[in-house]
Amino acid sequence: MTTDLRTEQAPQVRTGPTAPPRVTVRARLGSAFAMFRNRKSITGLVILGFFVLVAALADVLAPYSPTQVDHTARFEPPSAEHWLGTTHLGEDVLSQVIHGTRGVIVVGFLAAIMATIIAIVVGVVAGYLRGWRSESLSALTNVFLVIPGLPLIIIVASMFENPPLVLIAAVLGLTGWAWGARVLRAQTMSLRNRDFVQAARANGEPLWRIIGHEMLPNLMALIAASFVGTVTAAILGLTTLSYIGVIPVNTYNWGTILNWAGAQGAFRQNQWWWFLPPGLCIAAIGVALSLINFGIDEYVNPRLRSAGERARAMRKRGLDVNDPVTAVRTTTSAGDDA
């Protein structure tokens, strides 16, 4: 008698290629702003954030009105009542510096936002397109590269009795976008022949989607560097124009404070509490923007990025980065102990 043994085979399940993990919005934002994770960028962002906070809360932080006059306290050095002294009219210097921060921040960021938007539109489109359209946008960029911004601002400011800060920021933005557009155009020309861009074009993706979803994430570092550089140029341009008297003195910013100090002889009489605080504020915000730019450059440059990562790894292990001698860790085996 034979026994029929039947072995049941498990059904085979066909498994296709595993789907790639879905990239969340948080992960995209984290990768896009990874350039700000190093110490230089964080330090610069903290200093810049402090000035932005002072500008936003100027009415609360200022102990006096910037135009409040105290005739009994003229040319007073720093004291408990006036922390940064007073002017020739008895105005509180600290209050003027705090209120002047708002004008500097507003003009710097408005000009940078306007210039960055124009640079992205002109530079990326000119780099992606070909033929006469790309050459026309490139020629427009070259024209704006040679337009002198300072004389143009002087002409525009002379047409108004009291030019608003928005107008000054608009002129600074319109004259400061060309360098960023040129850099973005060159980088976009190298990206338009990449495989992912060619695949998107072959799938029939529209132009706005190719630029917005395929190219802009790879240009974030250059866009951020261009934005930071434009903020620096706009702030220096505003303070310079205010110091030489192009912008009316009733528009509060650090440059007008230096203009008043110079006109009243504060430099000759060594009244340092009047001109030194706004000068230090200009230097501090310049250092903050430079640190942010250095951090972005370290992220963009592969050599600097690898060197920074290696230095951070050595510091975590307790090793001195500047030590020319490499510490060697020796381990003893069981045979040696015996």
Side-chain angles (χ1 to χ4, degrees), residues 238-261:
L238 174 66
T239 53
T240 301
L241 292 170
S242 302
Y243 178 70
I244 64 179
V246 174
I247 299 175
V249 293
N250 57 356
T251 303
Y252 283 100
N253 61 74
W254 299 332
T256 53
I257 299 175
L258 293 175
N259 179 279
W260 296 330

Side-chain angles (χ1 to χ4, degrees), residues 12-75:
Q12 296 181 357
V13 180
R14 295 183 179 179
T15 58
T18 58
R22 184 178 180 182
V23 181
T24 61
V25 178
R26 184 177 179 181
R28 288 186 177 183
L29 290 177
S31 61
F33 292 95
M35 66 193 82
F36 300 115
R37 293 179 180 175
N38 51 57
R39 291 186 177 181
K40 295 179 182 178
S41 295
I42 292 175
T43 305
L45 288 174
V46 169
I47 300 174
L48 183 61
F50 169 77
F51 283 108
V52 172
L53 187 64
V54 170
L57 303 177
D59 297 330
V60 179
L61 297 177
Y64 304 95
S65 171
T67 57
Q68 182 177 346
V69 177
D70 185 3
H71 296 287
T72 62
R74 300 176 57 186
F75 283 129

Side-chain angles (χ1 to χ4, degrees), residues 70 73 105-106 109 118 131 162 196 208 214 227 249 279 318 321 327 333:
D70 185 3
I105 295 297
V106 168
F109 276 85
I118 299 175
N162 187 13
F196 58 91
W208 65 269
E214 303 295 340
F227 180 84
V249 293
V321 180
S333 59

Side-chain angles (χ1 to χ4, degrees), residues 193-206:
N193 295 323
R194 300 286 179 88
D195 294 337
F196 58 91
V197 177
Q198 295 291 341
R201 187 185 297 116
N203 291 332
E205 298 288 347

Side-chain angles (χ1 to χ4, degrees), residues 294-316:
F294 290 155
I296 296 173
D297 188 25
E298 180 179 332
Y299 175 82
V300 175
N301 194 328
R303 292 185 177 180
L304 294 178
R305 184 169 65 249
S306 61
E309 293 175 353
R310 184 168 59 252
R312 286 190 290 270
M314 292 179 64
R315 280 193 290 266
K316 288 182 179 179

Side-chain angles (χ1 to χ4, degrees), residues 38-152:
N38 51 57
R39 291 186 177 181
K40 295 179 182 178
S41 295
I42 292 175
T43 305
L45 288 174
V46 169
I47 300 174
L48 183 61
F50 169 77
F51 283 108
V52 172
L53 187 64
V54 170
L57 303 177
D59 297 330
V60 179
L61 297 177
Y64 304 95
S65 171
T67 57
Q68 182 177 346
V69 177
D70 185 3
H71 296 287
T72 62
R74 300 176 57 186
F75 283 129
E76 274 196 0
S79 61
E81 186 177 359
H82 301 282
W83 290 2
L84 293 182
T86 59
T87 65
H88 66 296
L89 296 177
E91 300 166 330
D92 186 66
V93 176
L94 176 61
S95 301
Q96 291 186 349
V97 171
I98 292 176
H99 281 275
T101 307
R102 179 175 296 174
V104 171
I105 295 297
V106 168
V107 171
F109 276 85
L110 280 180
I113 291 172
M114 183 180 299
T116 304
I117 292 175
I118 299 175
I120 292 173
V121 173
V122 176
V124 177
V125 173
Y128 180 78
L129 299 178
R130 303 174 187 269
W132 64 270
R133 292 174 295 183
S134 177
E135 297 299 329
S136 300
L137 292 176
S138 179
L140 179 65
T141 304
N142 294 332
V143 169
F144 273 87
L145 277 175
V146 297
I147 291 180
L150 185 60
L152 181 60

